[in-house]
Amino acid sequence: MAGVKRKEYPQIGGRARETAKKVKTEPRKKVRPITPPSDLEARTDSDPIVESDTTEHSGDDDGVSWPSDDEQDVDPVIKNGRKDVDNSTELSNRSKSLGEVAGQGSGSNSSHNPTASKEAHAKQKAVAQERKAAKPNADSIARAKKLWERLRIQSKVPLEERKQLIAELFDIITGRVKDFVLKHDSGRVIQTALKYGNLDQRKMIARELKGEYRGLAESRYAKFMIGKLLVHGDDEIRDLVIPEFYGHVRRMIKHPEAAWILDDVYRGAATPKQKAILLREWYGAEFAIFRLEKDYNPQSDLKVILTENPEKRAPILRSLFELINQLVQKKTIAFSMLHDAMLQYYLNVVPGSEEATEFVELLKGNEEGDLLKNLAFTKSGSRLVSLALAYSSAKDRKLLLKTYKNTIETLAFDAHGHQVLLAAYDVIDDTVLTAKSIFSEFPTKEMNQSESEQHADLFTYITSLNARIPILYLFVDKPSSILPAEDIGLLKEIHNIRLTTAKKDPDIRRKELVKALSPSFLSYIANNAEALVQNSFGCQFVSEVLLNADGDKSKALEVIANLTVSNGETPGYLQAPAASRMLKSLALGGRFNPKTKAIDLADPPLKFNDMLYDKLGSHIVAWMTGANAFVVVGLLESVDFSHKAELKALIRKHRMELQKAVEETGGLVKDGKAKEEKAMEAGKKGIRLLLKMVEH
């Protein structure tokens, strides 16, 4: 390639040897020319490094070639009456001849001609430059490349100078964009012009290339310029580019270059209408041939299309499966468009039918599970895998889950991948398999880690927006408190399917999985409570695990209670709204059930309320009049609190202080100015509720 430096080695041997007439010889022992090692090293190591042109050369201008194996093996034993030549004499003469010719050709031996190689290389370089200069637009490309060399170093070019360089660059390329864009070097010049040019200049480039975008997408180098256009352009540029792909999707998605840019456009730039038009072409040739009217709203939902045209079901599904299978066999399986098409196919085949079985076999048959792994990280792909888990037999579920070995952590932290884990929790009856396949890759006691490493990793899970979901999902009574709307919709769909495909009761399945996770989580809380309660996600983790875990919780509860008073006062982080909600939940000993209008107590009871009251002692007054007033409300609302009458009497005794606290405008929170007002208002509401509770 141009610009790549390589060492040129001299060719040793003579042209005369190539043209010499070959005579018939008797087979004898092969004798190769002998070259002194030191002389050969001198010839090869002393050659200069030169910059080669893209045009390959034969080396005939400045050297000679090694003799071929056939020529080396020919011995000068002449028959038909001629005299044989002595082997030793011939060998000596041949070595001498090779040494002389090599010295003349390479110029590496200073005793012959030291400047020959340099002159030959200079001549060779001049020829390469002449060839470049003879190409169309050579002068313009050379000037543009010099400007590009300056522009691409963004940090070293002042703004005013860059504007001047861009203006000069556009003077060169205007009207010649098509000539520049298909070459690997000048194509980068156009990309730089798009990056630093203004919107009008970018539109000029886009208009010049109108009608060429499909060809550019199939080019090894020009395809990147389409991406630059869409990234730096506006809606007008987008609407110039994407419609040129209509009618060519099936060809482009199978093209080694165009497939990637087509999928990038589909995933990141196309409007919903454009995405629908592109996806429809997967359903058969007729969707590519018949163009849509401008005001028509295209429909890519295959179920709707088949409902309107039931007679087309067989050819559409056949066409769709054939294209999917082609891409899977070629292992081009990372495309979002492919995943959308696969989901459409699976949603429209009958579960348990031959079509559905063949499709699941396609998922399982991919070597090393690359297809399933790629599917899990897109919106449509994760839904497809979750549905496949729900509909499959126990044997197939095991095979599907096994594919994700050593990938569980990546799934947990992904916005879509964690849905596959939730589906596995809800449909796999073998909870031992689930614990072994999934929990063993969570930072729990089953992992081969030190305790400090395990705790550090688990804190990362707990405080992650996505990874906390598969950690907490089994413990929460109300999944909507941690799940996004997309997850809730998918799980509702899976729960309807498992009514006919799963055998184990959902509550029993959940309790068995909770039991497997509980020891590690309870131990973690007991050892890291202070760090957890300073984080809102950590507070939720503590309350959900302590309310619903299976095992001895006394040590963890005691550690939480001990945090409430430190050095004679309540730490500021416990006055935050999240910490206050956590302490109230633990004081209540359960969750409020809106159906029964009562508290569903944990089993066995936590008795954290008595533990907290004893630990607070005289500090309870400060809690009644501060940001943690709702925690005191929780103590009074708890059904198993032993000191309820005593606490009510204490509230009545300090009624004046409570009323004064309600009237004050500050002072409820000691730490943190940003959250002070919010905590203050929450505290005032709690104080008012306390006063109301002791009136009766």
Side-chain angles (χ1 to χ4, degrees):
M1 292 178 63
V4 178
K5 295 190 176 183
R6 63 185 180 216
K7 181 176 285 188
E8 294 204 341
Y9 295 94
Q11 297 175 335
I12 303 177
R15 288 189 182 176
R17 186 176 298 277
E18 297 177 5
T19 58
K21 183 177 179 181
K22 295 184 180 179
V23 296
K24 185 176 180 181
T25 60
E26 293 181 354
R28 298 184 60 182
K29 185 177 180 179
K30 295 182 180 180
V31 179
R32 295 185 179 273
I34 300 175
T35 304
S38 59
D39 191 35
L40 180 60
E41 292 172 1
R43 287 199 299 275
T44 56
D45 292 344
S46 62
D47 289 326
I49 302 295
V50 297
E51 180 174 350
S52 84
D53 184 32
T54 53
T55 308
E56 295 183 357
H57 58 85
S58 63
D60 291 345
D61 297 335
D62 63 338
V64 289
S65 303
W66 283 99
S68 67
D69 290 341
D70 293 336
E71 292 169 334
Q72 290 181 24
D73 295 340
V74 176
D75 288 329
V77 181
I78 304 174
K79 293 193 175 182
N80 298 327
R82 295 196 180 183
K83 209 173 170 184
D84 290 348
V85 181
D86 181 68
N87 287 340
S88 60
T89 304
E90 175 62 20
L91 185 60
S92 175
N93 292 338
R94 185 180 297 174
S95 300
K96 180 178 179 181
S97 175
L98 286 172
E100 291 173 354
V101 174
Q104 293 172 5
S106 67
S108 61
N109 192 338
S110 59
S111 63
H112 293 86
N113 191 354
T115 61
S117 180
K118 292 182 180 179
E119 292 174 355
H121 293 157
K123 179 180 177 182
Q124 192 178 54
K125 200 168 184 179
V127 171
Q129 293 296 333
E130 289 176 5
R131 288 174 181 167
K132 286 183 178 180
K135 294 179 180 178
N137 299 307
D139 183 55
S140 299
I141 291 175
R143 287 166 54 208
K145 285 171 67 176
K146 288 181 180 179
L147 294 173
W148 171 71
E149 284 288 346
R150 180 66 177 153
L151 279 168
R152 69 191 184 98
I153 309 175
Q154 181 177 0
S155 60
K156 296 183 180 180
V157 183
L159 180 60
E160 292 302 322
E161 183 183 352
R162 183 184 298 120
K163 289 181 179 178
Q164 184 179 354
L165 292 172
I166 285 293
E168 187 178 348
L169 180 59
F170 271 92
D171 287 341
I172 296 172
I173 66 175
T174 300
R176 304 173 181 171
V177 174
K178 291 182 182 179
D179 298 328
F180 275 67
V181 78
L182 290 174
K183 299 179 176 64
H184 75 94
D185 48 359
S186 57
R188 295 179 183 178
V189 173
I190 303 298
Q191 292 180 40
T192 302
L194 283 168
K195 181 177 181 181
Y196 294 117
N198 57 42
L199 185 58
D200 290 336
Q201 290 170 327
R202 292 167 183 162
K203 287 182 178 179
M204 179 275 294
I205 293 175
R207 293 189 189 104
E208 280 200 30
L209 294 173
K210 186 177 180 180
E212 304 291 336
Y213 288 113
R214 183 171 66 87
L216 296 180
E218 295 176 354
S219 168
R220 181 177 180 182
Y221 304 110
K223 65 179 181 182
F224 299 111
M225 202 214 58
I226 295 179
K228 287 281 186 182
L229 267 174
L230 294 172
V231 168
H232 297 292
D234 62 355
D235 293 350
E236 181 183 342
I237 293 176
R238 179 197 64 205
D239 293 339
L240 278 174
V241 175
I242 297 178
E244 294 196 15
F245 298 158
Y246 296 167
H248 308 286
V249 171
R250 294 180 69 89
R251 170 181 168 173
M252 291 178 69
I253 198 64
K254 293 183 283 187
H255 192 280
E257 306 295 343
W260 295 99
I261 195 65
L262 174 64
D263 190 67
D264 286 344
V265 167
Y266 175 84
R267 185 180 66 252
T271 64
K273 180 178 180 179
Q274 290 168 337
K275 290 180 70 172
I277 295 173
L278 294 172
L279 186 59
R280 283 169 60 92
E281 295 193 26
W282 288 64
Y283 303 155
E286 67 175 277
F287 295 93
I289 294 172
F290 297 107
R291 303 297 178 87
L292 304 173
E293 293 79 8
K294 188 175 182 180
D295 58 345
Y296 181 73
N297 185 25
Q299 179 60 254
S300 63
D301 188 342
L302 186 55
K303 182 173 289 188
V304 175
I305 295 174
L306 294 180
T307 301
E308 295 175 353
N309 304 279
E311 72 283 358
K312 297 181 180 179
R313 183 182 185 279
I316 287 177
L317 290 180
R318 182 171 60 252
S319 175
L320 181 55
F321 183 80
E322 286 175 357
L323 185 53
I324 290 171
N325 188 44
Q326 287 178 28
L327 296 179
V328 171
Q329 299 308 321
K330 289 173 63 178
K331 299 186 178 180
T332 50
I333 51 181
F335 300 139
S336 297
M337 184 181 279
L338 170 64
H339 299 174
D340 287 354
M342 293 179 74
L343 177 63
Q344 289 296 326
Y345 182 87
Y346 194 61
L347 289 174
N348 288 279
V349 295
V350 179
S353 65
E354 183 179 348
E355 293 170 330
T357 303
E358 185 181 14
F359 188 79
V360 173
E361 289 300 320
L362 181 68
L363 295 179
K364 296 188 302 179
N366 185 251
E367 295 180 7
E368 301 178 0
D370 290 339
L371 176 58
L372 283 168
K373 289 176 182 176
N374 276 278
L375 284 167
F377 296 100
T378 62
K379 181 178 178 179
S380 295
S382 62
R383 184 183 175 195
L384 171 60
V385 176
S386 299
L387 293 176
L389 281 169
Y391 279 118
S392 296
S393 64
K395 182 179 178 181
D396 284 344
R397 287 171 182 163
K398 182 177 181 179
L399 291 173
L400 293 173
L401 188 60
K402 186 179 179 181
T403 303
Y404 294 104
K405 184 178 181 181
N406 300 324
T407 317
I408 300 299
E409 180 177 357
T410 312
L411 290 173
F413 281 90
D414 187 74
H416 304 296
H418 73 269
Q419 295 175 348
V420 176
L421 301 181
L422 302 186
Y425 292 163
D426 283 349
V427 300
I428 297 178
D429 292 332
D430 187 351
T431 53
V432 175
L433 171 66
T434 305
K436 184 178 179 181
S437 302
I438 298 177
F439 298 163
S440 62
E441 295 189 33
F442 284 165
T444 57
K445 291 183 177 181
E446 287 77 10
M447 288 196 72
N448 187 22
Q449 288 180 306
S450 66
E451 189 175 26
S452 60
E453 291 176 333
Q454 174 192 322
H455 289 174
D457 288 350
L458 187 53
F459 188 79
T460 306
Y461 273 75
I462 293 167
T463 55
S464 167
L465 187 63
N466 294 319
R468 62 192 283 266
I469 295 175
I471 288 288
L472 271 181
Y473 174 69
L474 296 168
F475 291 89
V476 294
D477 295 315
K478 189 179 179 183
S480 59
S481 63
I482 63 168
L483 295 179
E486 183 181 324
D487 289 13
I488 294 173
L490 175 61
L491 290 175
K492 189 178 293 186
E493 187 177 7
I494 289 172
H495 292 168
N496 291 332
I497 296 170
R498 76 178 178 185
L499 294 174
T500 57
T501 60
K503 298 178 181 179
K504 185 171 288 188
D505 182 83
D507 290 335
I508 295 175
R509 183 191 296 108
R510 176 175 173 269
K511 288 178 180 178
E512 290 175 353
L513 294 174
V514 166
K515 186 175 182 179
L517 279 175
S518 293
S520 296
F521 288 0
L522 291 173
S523 173
Y524 176 71
I525 292 173
N527 289 284
N528 299 272
E530 185 172 3
L532 286 170
V533 298
Q534 296 182 53
N535 182 279
S536 59
F537 285 169
C539 289
Q540 187 178 20
F541 175 80
V542 170
S543 58
E544 298 294 353
V545 170
L546 290 179
L547 287 173
N548 296 293
D550 184 290
D552 184 11
K553 309 169 188 176
S554 57
K555 184 178 179 181
L557 291 168
E558 184 179 353
V559 172
I560 297 292
N562 290 336
L563 291 175
T564 57
V565 178
S566 177
N567 297 324
E569 62 180 8
T570 300
Y573 56 78
L574 283 182
Q575 300 180 37
S580 183
R581 286 194 297 270
M582 175 197 72
L583 291 170
K584 182 184 178 182
S585 297
L586 296 178
L588 286 170
R591 293 291 188 190
F592 179 75
N593 190 330
K595 294 181 179 179
T596 61
K597 306 295 182 181
I599 302 296
D600 292 337
L601 294 177
D603 185 22
L606 298 182
K607 301 299 292 182
F608 179 74
N609 40 30
D610 291 335
M611 196 183 301
L612 176 63
Y613 186 78
D614 293 339
K615 184 65 180 176
L616 286 175
S618 61
H619 295 281
I620 190 70
V621 177
W623 281 50
M624 289 189 300
T625 58
N628 287 328
F630 267 113
V631 179
V632 182
V633 172
L635 291 174
L636 291 177
E637 291 178 343
S638 178
V639 295
D640 60 348
F641 179 44
S642 305
H643 306 282
K644 191 175 295 187
E646 181 182 340
L647 179 57
K648 284 186 176 182
L650 191 61
I651 293 172
R652 293 189 184 98
K653 180 179 178 180
H654 295 278
R655 183 191 298 269
M656 296 300 295
E657 295 179 38
L658 268 66
Q659 291 176 344
K660 185 178 179 180
V662 172
E663 296 170 359
E664 289 180 352
T665 57
L668 292 177
V669 179
K670 296 180 181 179
D671 300 331
K673 294 182 179 180
K675 299 181 180 179
E676 181 176 351
E677 185 177 348
K678 185 178 180 180
M680 187 191 313
E681 290 303 317
K684 286 182 178 181
K685 290 179 182 178
I687 296 171
R688 293 190 188 99
L689 192 55
L690 282 175
L691 290 171
K692 188 176 181 180
M693 292 175 75
V694 297
E695 286 178 357
H696 306 289

